[in-house]
Amino acid sequence: MLRELSIADFAIIERSTIRLQDGLTSLTGETGAGKSILLDALGAVLGQRIGSDLVRTGAKTARIEALFELTEACDTTIRPRCVDLGIEIGDDGHLILTREIQASGRSSARINGRMVTASVLAEIGSHLVDIHGQSDHLSLLQATTQRNMLDEYAGLSILRHQVAVGVQKVREARCRLSELERGSRDHIQRLDLLRYQVTEIEEAAIQPDEERDLLRQRDVLLNVDRLRLAVLDALSALNGDELGATAAASGLDSLRELEASLQQVSEIDASTTGMFERASELVVLADDLNRDLRTYLDTVEADPDTLQLVEDRLSLLRGLIRKYGATVEDVLEYQASAQAEVETLTDGSFDVAVVQQSMRQAEAELVTLVSELSRQREEAAAELGPLVEQNAADLKMGRSQLKVDVRHRPDVSGITMGSGETVAFDESGIDDVEFLFAPNVGETFRPLGRIASGGETARLMLALKSILSEVDQTPTLVFDEIDVGVGARSGQVVGEKLWKLSRTHQVVVVTHLPQIAAYGDDHLRITKREIDGRTVSSVDAVSDALRIDELAYMIDGVPATDESRANASVILERIAAVKAATVG
């Protein structure tokens, strides 16, 4: 329930705090006093779009704050969402919504002190207050509103969501199929190319370091003579002239002589043992090197056939590198990515037959959902019409009749039902819903928008709101001039209907009719006056004599006369009797 609304520097409201109780609250005041501005402020704190032009002239910031006391109905809606948002709710169950609008155009929003976006504020606000504006009854003439009201009465929100999801699946499948059919040639060509490329790289059987090894092997085969001469020179340095053609000592002989000399030295001076050991190691290493050089020399032979094979392999690798990457590693990476794309293109999502089957499955599921939605709508339509007629009779609309028509539109591009009929569909299902109205017995039913007057439309909207209130868990309902087009004769019954509605909801009504205002359990008056050259609006509670005066002003203008006060008193007494009889 809305308990308190504080407004500062908003339009012509400088400072105002409004406290609200349970039941029906009437809000009255002369035209232009600021009643609509008050509702604009409430809408702003509930997350509605608001312009910086509503910041009071000369002020930097407008601030609106609303204190709500959460009801049990909020336990399944608002409380879980607040937990998700990290908003703490105290033991008192209070929720404070705050909206600040700067003259510069920026705005901010908070819930219990935590900064939130305007969209989150609107989401939470939609579960707290339902504002029925002056022109909202005109929306009743729109087919979308009529369908939504029928669905709200029937409690079809979950099924509507399931249908919307199903429609999205069907549209995606149809779009996918259309794309495949248009691009099937490109798809086949792409798949053939990728398969060829993958096969080409696979058949090459490339190894990661193969190019480097081949280049080394080619360098050896191209320089066999140079290698052999260099190895022979090294062997000669180690072994000398093995044929005895020269008396020059070999490297090995010199190392062996070095070893023998250092051995003699170490036998005399033990401190030189380390040098002797190193000399011995040099002899061992030289012997190993000598053997390895001889073995290597045996392997270095000219081999034109092997050289040609190496050149051919390098040519193959370089051809693949030119096609698929700068290095062998790049070629292997391309092979992996191409293979992955082949698997994607052949996993069924690009197969026309597979997508067709998927589309048929999605359509079959959607047909089941929309069929059930239509069935429940037709059942609810049969109930809603008589209920509206009964409430309309309570509102002095005589024996007017309302029929809720649920029908389908043929559409060759739609969805085929089990009956074989192909009908139009969208996220709301396959039904066109239209309220047909007959204001008098015996007249032909016609679309509501073509036959109902403004007053009749307003009262029908109230009748529907009364019916929907039984399934609507929004705790606070606000009606802005529901009396548009309603005369004094019907004003009292409209007021009574609003008062009865307030037995299950907190109701606020902005009205110009005393017959409606008098039904308020509380009465607030908004006035406008000039202070220091500035226009200021304020909201005050009125009761007893002040309330009689306010109703008298609404009956016969200012100043109040004895007659208008007497009339106001009679209205209050009559309504008090009606309330007592109803409660009793």
Side-chain angles (χ1 to χ4, degrees), residues 220-346:
V220 170
L221 290 172
L222 289 174
N223 295 278
V224 168
D225 293 339
R226 289 177 61 191
L227 287 171
R228 290 184 65 83
L229 286 174
V231 171
L232 287 172
D233 287 344
L235 287 171
S236 178
L238 283 172
N239 298 289
D241 190 348
E242 294 181 350
L243 299 177
T246 177
S250 70
L252 277 171
D253 290 339
S254 298
L255 288 173
R256 290 188 181 103
E257 291 177 3
L258 173 64
E259 180 186 23
S261 299
L262 289 175
Q263 184 178 11
Q264 294 176 9
V265 172
S266 66
E267 289 174 351
I268 299 171
D269 185 356
S271 66
T272 63
T273 300
M275 290 186 284
F276 165 66
E277 291 175 349
R278 280 182 281 169
S280 296
E281 290 177 359
L282 288 173
V283 172
V284 172
L285 290 172
D287 282 334
D288 289 343
L289 178 60
N290 185 52
R291 285 194 299 273
D292 289 344
L293 284 172
R294 291 180 183 278
T295 300
Y296 177 72
L297 184 63
D298 292 340
T299 64
V300 179
E301 296 180 356
D303 189 346
D305 293 338
T306 301
L307 178 60
Q308 185 59 49
L309 290 174
V310 170
E311 292 284 10
D312 291 344
R313 185 64 178 174
L314 283 170
S315 177
L316 174 63
L317 292 182
R318 286 170 179 168
L320 293 174
I321 288 172
R322 282 194 301 272
K323 292 180 180 180
Y324 306 117
T327 64
V328 168
E329 287 73 19
D330 292 338
V331 174
L332 293 174
E333 287 181 8
Y334 181 84
Q335 177 190 2
S337 64
Q339 181 61 45
E341 189 175 351
V342 167
E343 292 172 0
T344 299
L345 293 174
T346 55

Side-chain angles (χ1 to χ4, degrees), residues 430-447:
I430 60 173
D431 305 306
D432 287 337
V433 176
E434 187 172 32
F435 289 0
L436 303 176
F437 184 60
N440 300 295
V441 175
E443 293 188 19
T444 303
F445 282 99
R446 291 187 175 87

